[in-house]
Amino acid sequence: MSTLSCIVCTFAYLIILFAIVGIPLIVYYAQDPKDPTFTLEHASVNGFNLTSDGHLTSFFNIVLKANNPSRKMKLKYSKVRVSIYKDKQILAKDALDDFAQRKHAVTMLRPEPVALDLSLDKGPRFNLELESGMGYISFGVFMTSDLNGDNLEVTCSPVFLNITISNSLVASSPADAVNTSHKFQSMDCNVYVYSDDD
C-alpha cells in the first residue's frame, strides 16, 4: 500500500471516528440546559384567620423543589425571597439563606411566609371571603433570587387549599380545589432568568 493510500485511509478513519464520537459530544454539550427548573411540591396553611374588617393572619408552609439540570454549571442563589400573593397583593413573605447547587443536583426549599394582621385590598378581600365561604382558598407563590449574577423569577399559580376544619387548611391539587381530596399534587412553576442588561 502506498503512502498516499495510507494517508487517505487514515484521514477517512478520522472523519468516521469524529462522526461517531465527536458530533454526539458536541450536540450533548450544546444542548446542556443552563436554567434551573422548579416544582411546587407542597403547600399548606395554619392559623388562617380573616376578620370581618378584612385583616388576614396566616402561616404558610411551602416546599419548592429546585432542579439544576446542567451537567456543566454550578448554580449560586443569593437574596432568595418567597412571597404568597393574591390578585397582585403580597400576603406573606419569607427570606431564605443563600445556597449553591452542584451540577445535576436537586435542592428542597422550605419557606414559611407569614401574614400577621395584614389589611387586604378590596379585590383580594372579596375573593378570599368568597372562596373561604365555598370551602377553599387560592393564591400564587412567587420567588425571586440572584442567580449567578442574573435575576431569577419563579411563579407557581394557582395553588388551591381546601378548608377542612374551622380555620385549618389542608393542601389539595388545583383540580381538586372544591372536592374532598386533600393530597397535594406537584405542580410545575414558570421560570424566568434575565440579566439587568435585558
Side-chain angles (χ1 to χ4, degrees):
M1 183 181 286
S2 69
T3 304
L4 181 59
S5 297
C6 285
I7 292 172
V8 170
C9 286
T10 303
F11 187 67
Y13 174 76
L14 290 174
I15 291 174
I16 292 170
L17 184 64
F18 177 75
I20 293 172
V21 178
I23 292 176
L25 281 174
I26 290 171
V27 171
Y28 175 82
Y29 282 104
Q31 292 180 340
D32 187 51
K34 296 178 181 178
D35 293 342
T37 61
F38 283 80
T39 54
L40 181 64
E41 297 295 313
H42 172 79
S44 61
V45 178
N46 295 311
F48 178 82
N49 182 34
L50 180 57
T51 64
S52 58
D53 62 349
H55 285 75
L56 174 69
T57 295
S58 294
F59 300 85
F60 294 86
N61 292 291
I62 302 296
V63 178
L64 286 163
K65 182 167 75 173
N67 174 44
N68 178 8
S70 176
R71 294 171 291 267
K72 300 186 298 180
M73 184 183 297
K74 183 177 180 180
L75 298 179
K76 295 181 180 179
Y77 297 79
S78 60
K79 301 178 184 175
V80 183
R81 303 286 184 272
V82 177
S83 304
I84 305 297
Y85 68 93
K86 176 74 174 177
D87 302 326
K88 298 182 180 179
Q89 182 179 8
I90 300 296
L91 305 182
K93 296 180 183 178
D94 192 16
L96 300 179
D97 293 335
D98 297 352
F99 68 98
Q101 279 187 302
R102 300 186 315 272
K103 305 165 191 175
H104 222 255
V106 170
T107 304
M108 304 302 283
L109 307 176
R110 302 177 187 278
E112 297 181 345
V114 176
L116 291 176
D117 198 30
L118 175 72
S119 179
L120 293 173
D121 295 341
K122 184 176 180 181
R125 175 181 176 180
F126 174 82
N127 287 324
L128 282 175
E129 287 175 344
L130 178 65
E131 290 172 356
S132 59
M134 296 173 65
Y136 74 98
I137 64 167
S138 67
F139 55 86
V141 177
F142 184 62
M143 173 181 154
T144 60
S145 172
D146 287 351
L147 177 67
N148 290 6
D150 289 331
N151 301 295
L152 169 72
E153 293 183 357
V154 178
T155 306
C156 313
S157 179
V159 181
F160 290 89
L161 300 181
N162 286 346
I163 298 178
T164 53
I165 11 180
S166 86
N167 292 340
S168 178
L169 301 179
V170 177
S172 72
S173 70
D176 296 327
V178 291
N179 68 25
T180 57
S181 173
H182 298 148
K183 185 177 180 182
F184 192 88
Q185 307 247 333
S186 173
M187 61 186 291
D188 293 332
C189 303
N190 295 318
V191 178
Y192 180 41
V193 179
Y194 62 96
S195 67
D196 291 327
D197 298 331
D198 291 349

